[in-house]
Amino acid sequence: MKKSLIITLIIILIFIIIAFINLLIALIMNRNNFNNWVFGFGLNYNDLGIIKESEIDISEIANINFSTSSSNINVYESNSSKIRILQRSSSNIAAEEKFTYTISNKTLEIKENIKPKISFFLSSLSCYDIYIPKTYTANLKLSSNSGSIELDSNLSLNNIILDSSSGSVKLHNELHIANELNIKTISGSIKSDGKVFSNISNLNTTSGSIKLSYLESLNLSSFKTVSGKIDIGFLKGYGNFKSTSGKIQLNEFEIIGNTNIESVSGKIQLFMFNNLGYNINYNTTSGRVNINNYNNTLNDSNNFTLNLKTVSGKIEVN
């Protein structure tokens, strides 16, 4: 009796372990450090097979909208006059689960039809590759719950809106946005290793980090994180920066307007690209202040104010 009970418990334990491993893989397979490989199983997103492909004339299209549940979205540029959409997967899926699209009022709406599955076995992976013509200059809106969003392209668009809950958002090459760049995540990071030129930039994440290589944003912009770090290589712009516990670091900051930078316990560290034409106002409760090589000489054309505020975080300006 005891022997059969032990065998039964072992079998139950094995199923619990398999279920836990499967759930863990499903949770992390699209997270920041696991976009290409899944928990050591050697399944590469780049090797996924194409299960559906469509080409769409977008000569009259002013908006491209696409939302997914857990699938990654990759955007590339193309020399074609048509948008090309590839749906890729690690396994075959039913015809009704392949993407569909509609065009109405100059808006291309792409719909993901994959149904969420819970299995005791390894979940299948899926992603979408979207090739956008260089001639397209209107609006792009992409969102995903847990999948990552990656733009590996040199595009010039009017507005870009990217939204991901737990997946990361990555920008490569050079992007020109005539109006607004709006990126929002909850736990996913926001990264750019290329150059971004935008009129207005709004970047918001809760626990993810914001790391940009080069950004020119000519009008009032906003950068906000709760616990993640804000790290920008070169920034020409102005606006509002806010973090609760994350560090705010601007490595080459060319200020062109009134700017407010605020953190509760995170450090504020600025390396000014130009040290003329702005006033520094700082306020901290218990943090140290270290301001070097600062010249507060103002001129008529550049009367900017740089407001720095922390509770316990250090303030450093170079």
Side-chain angles (χ1 to χ4, degrees):
M1 181 70 180
K2 291 183 179 180
K3 186 176 180 180
S4 61
L5 178 62
I6 292 173
I7 295 174
T8 302
L9 291 175
I10 291 175
I11 293 173
I12 294 172
L13 181 60
I14 290 173
F15 273 95
I16 292 174
I17 292 173
I18 293 173
F20 176 77
I21 291 174
N22 187 72
L23 177 61
L24 183 62
I25 292 171
L27 289 173
I28 69 174
M29 68 181 182
N30 288 317
R31 294 301 294 269
N32 301 343
N33 297 324
F34 296 89
N35 286 332
N36 293 323
W37 292 88
V38 181
F39 203 62
F41 281 84
L43 188 54
N44 195 308
Y45 276 101
N46 296 324
D47 295 331
L48 302 184
I50 299 173
I51 58 173
K52 183 175 180 179
E53 177 178 356
S54 292
E55 287 191 342
I56 307 162
D57 184 4
I58 58 170
S59 57
E60 300 297 324
I61 297 298
N63 302 285
I64 299 174
N65 299 337
F66 185 30
S67 177
T68 74
S69 177
S70 61
S71 301
N72 288 0
I73 303 174
N74 305 311
V75 177
Y76 307 97
E77 64 182 288
S78 77
N79 294 317
S80 172
S81 61
K82 296 181 178 181
I83 183 173
R84 183 180 177 216
I85 306 169
L86 303 180
Q87 182 178 5
R88 299 194 286 131
S89 176
S90 60
S91 61
N92 291 325
I93 63 174
E96 60 269 18
E97 290 190 299
K98 296 179 181 180
F99 78 88
T100 54
Y101 67 88
T102 58
I103 299 175
S104 177
N105 297 323
K106 294 188 176 182
T107 297
L108 170 62
E109 198 81 39
I110 308 167
K111 182 182 178 182
E112 180 182 51
N113 297 308
I114 295 177
K115 299 174 183 177
K117 297 180 179 68
I118 298 177
S119 169
F120 284 105
F121 303 99
L122 181 64
S123 300
S124 62
L125 304 181
S126 62
C127 71
Y128 296 85
D129 293 341
I130 303 176
Y131 293 83
I132 297 178
K134 291 180 180 180
T135 54
Y136 181 76
T137 58
N139 304 311
L140 176 65
K141 182 178 180 181
L142 305 174
S143 64
S144 180
N145 288 332
S146 60
S148 67
I149 300 173
E150 194 161 346
L151 273 63
D152 192 356
S153 56
N154 295 294
L155 292 171
S156 297
L157 301 176
N158 185 43
N159 291 293
I160 295 180
I161 300 175
L162 308 175
D163 191 337
S164 180
S165 296
S166 59
S168 63
V169 174
K170 296 181 181 180
L171 309 177
H172 306 292
N173 295 319
E174 188 168 301
L175 286 174
H176 292 259
I177 301 100
N179 188 28
E180 182 177 356
L181 172 65
N182 193 314
I183 303 177
K184 182 179 179 181
T185 74
I186 295 178
S187 60
S189 63
I190 300 172
K191 295 182 179 180
S192 171
D193 56 18
K195 291 186 175 183
V196 178
F197 301 86
S198 179
N199 186 35
I200 302 171
S201 300
N202 291 309
L203 279 65
N204 190 326
T205 179
T206 303
S207 59
S209 62
I210 298 173
K211 184 175 178 60
L212 310 177
S213 176
Y214 185 103
L215 173 65
E216 291 190 24
S217 191
L218 300 181
N219 281 295
L220 182 67
S221 297
S222 174
F223 305 82
K224 185 177 180 180
T225 178
V226 176
S227 58
K229 177 181 178 181
I230 299 175
D231 183 356
I232 303 178
F234 175 84
L235 172 63
K236 181 179 180 180
Y238 69 100
N240 300 311
F241 299 77
K242 189 172 183 179
S243 175
T244 302
S245 59
K247 178 181 179 181
I248 300 175
Q249 180 174 331
L250 307 180
N251 296 293
E252 287 186 85
F253 182 23
E254 183 176 350
I255 185 172
I256 60 173
N258 295 334
T259 296
N260 302 301
I261 302 178
E262 181 179 349
S263 180
V264 177
S265 59
K267 177 181 179 180
I268 295 175
Q269 185 175 33
L270 309 179
F271 297 88
M272 305 304 293
F273 184 78
N274 54 338
N275 64 347
L276 293 174
Y278 61 91
N279 259 339
I280 295 180
N281 295 326
Y282 59 84
N283 187 321
T284 181
T285 303
S286 60
R288 292 183 299 162
V289 178
N290 186 9
I291 298 178
N292 303 306
N293 301 321
Y294 167 59
N295 187 335
N296 66 352
T297 302
L298 298 179
N299 57 56
D300 293 336
S301 61
N302 294 320
N303 265 11
F304 307 139
T305 300
L306 177 59
N307 297 310
L308 309 175
K309 183 179 179 180
T310 71
V311 176
S312 59
K314 179 181 178 181
I315 295 174
E316 181 180 330
V317 180
N318 298 287

